[in-house]
Amino acid sequence: MPSAPFPAPRAAAAASGPTVAIDIGGTKIAGALVHPDGTMTATTRRPTPRGADADGVMAAVAEVVADLSESPLWASAVRCGIGSAGPVDTSRGTVSPVNIGAWREFPVQERVVAELAVRGADLPTVLAGDGVAMTAAEHWLGAARGHANALCMVVSTGVGGGLILNNQLHPGPTGNAGHIGHISVAFDGEPCACGGHGCVESIASGTAIARWALDQGWRPSGTAGAGAGVTGAKGAGGGPDATAAGVAAAAAEGDPIALAAFDRAGRALAAAIAATATLVETDIAVIGGGVAAAGDTLFAPIRSHLAAYATLSFVKDVQVVPAMLGTHAGLIGAAAAATMLLPSPPSPS
């Protein structure tokens, strides 16, 4: 959490009260009151229920709201932002998270508004996908701060993102603008889960990196066929790590297949960044998510390949940088998205 104050996403919001922020993901549901200087209070979280029905998952969200309502600052809250794993449809206020099977076209915005009302808070509320929320967070307090036009990306199990254009968050009609993971960068590429072909996500996601490396004969350390001299990473159970993190560890040790996997992913990301910058003249690409933790193993090939794709004068200087906010991006982003997309509350008379 930021230790020093920062400007609010809009100057008009600087004198307003806190924003109720809720971050919904496949492993946890978190909440906080996020203040105009970016600090958070009353933080709380619940594990996302496993094996529960839709109402069972919503019960965990309701518990988070109940926790927040116990804060002495609850009565001064002025808005609510919900960030959720997707797919989302913000025009309808619904979510169908891939990693929350019980929610399909679940009306989360309507249900959260009802929970707020039960706790005496009749607040305007915004729903944002997690990629858009991360974008709002990084523009407010992170690596895209000070940039009027930015692309922010989450490279993890999937690849998502969002856009800042002319200092405004640009979620699009359904909240999915900037979903860079489903730009096609390989005309004859393999099928993507979305139904398209050659999508960035099918090449550069953590899942895709690990799958391609394994298909090429890479094996994590401790298994038959592992490359000589590769120490690799250990998985959650202490055994060999056949995920993208394991591939990254092998790449850091010089394994040629692991290096090629990240070079391939970096090239796909570079092509998509260049296409986006050419289309809307973004001047920075901020990359977060679990795969970005590989550091230069990912960023070096992106920057190298970008020079071959971003050749026009107005895009050749586009920057590629790591995200700054890490695990705080969900809650800060939910608050920032609400502040950017909702009208400012009237000033007290």
Side-chain angles (χ1 to χ4, degrees):
M1 182 174 65
S3 58
F6 289 89
R10 277 197 314 237
S16 66
T19 299
V20 177
I22 299 170
D23 178 26
I24 300 170
T27 59
K28 60 101 173 55
I29 297 166
L33 298 180
V34 181
H35 299 270
D37 66 354
T39 56
M40 297 191 294
T41 58
T43 54
T44 184
R45 62 188 290 167
R46 294 286 190 282
T48 303
R50 297 292 182 188
D53 62 10
D55 286 336
V57 177
M58 185 63 211
V61 179
E63 290 174 4
V64 166
V65 173
D67 288 349
L68 297 177
S69 72
E70 295 175 3
S71 167
L73 298 173
W74 177 255
S76 63
V78 295
R79 65 183 75 81
C80 175
I82 308 163
S84 176
V88 304
D89 184 343
T90 59
S91 67
R92 300 171 57 213
T94 62
V95 298
S96 303
V98 171
N99 48 11
I100 304 178
W103 278 6
R104 289 296 173 265
E105 299 186 359
F106 185 77
V108 67
Q109 183 169 336
E110 176 185 323
R111 295 289 295 271
V112 168
V113 167
E115 290 296 331
L116 294 170
V118 166
R119 304 290 170 179
D122 184 15
L123 300 178
T125 300
V126 157
L127 170 65
D130 52 6
V132 171
M134 175 264 195
T135 299
E138 290 292 333
H139 184 251
W140 179 17
L141 300 177
R145 187 173 179 226
H147 291 266
N149 300 287
L151 166 68
C152 296
M153 305 170 62
V154 180
V155 184
S156 186
T157 306
V159 178
L163 291 167
I164 296 288
L165 301 178
N166 297 322
N167 279 315
Q168 298 294 317
L169 188 63
H170 182 72
T174 66
N176 291 289
H179 201 336
I180 194 168
H182 296 291
I183 290 178
S184 178
V185 292
F187 182 73
D188 294 321
E190 64 185 83
C192 178
C194 74
H197 288 265
C199 293
V200 175
E201 184 170 295
S202 69
I203 300 171
S205 70
T207 306
I209 290 170
R211 182 179 64 246
W212 187 87
L214 289 166
D215 287 347
Q216 299 304 306
W218 173 78
R219 295 294 180 267
S221 178
T223 62
V230 177
T231 58
K234 296 297 182 183
D241 187 354
T243 69
V247 180
E253 295 290 334
D255 183 281
I257 295 176
L259 286 166
F262 271 90
D263 185 75
R264 180 174 180 266
R267 183 177 181 184
L269 291 167
I273 290 166
T276 303
T278 303
L279 188 66
V280 294
E281 290 198 58
T282 51
D283 57 16
I284 190 170
V286 176
I287 303 178
V291 176
D296 280 348
T297 299
L298 177 69
F299 285 89
I302 293 174
R303 292 170 179 144
S304 174
H305 287 295
L306 191 60
Y309 289 105
T311 57
L312 295 170
S313 61
F314 61 93
V315 295
K316 65 183 181 64
D317 294 325
V318 64
Q319 302 175 53
V320 179
V321 300
M324 293 175 58
L325 297 178
T327 57
H328 297 302
L331 286 171
I332 291 174
T339 305
M340 296 177 82
L341 298 173
L342 289 168
S344 298
S347 300
S349 55

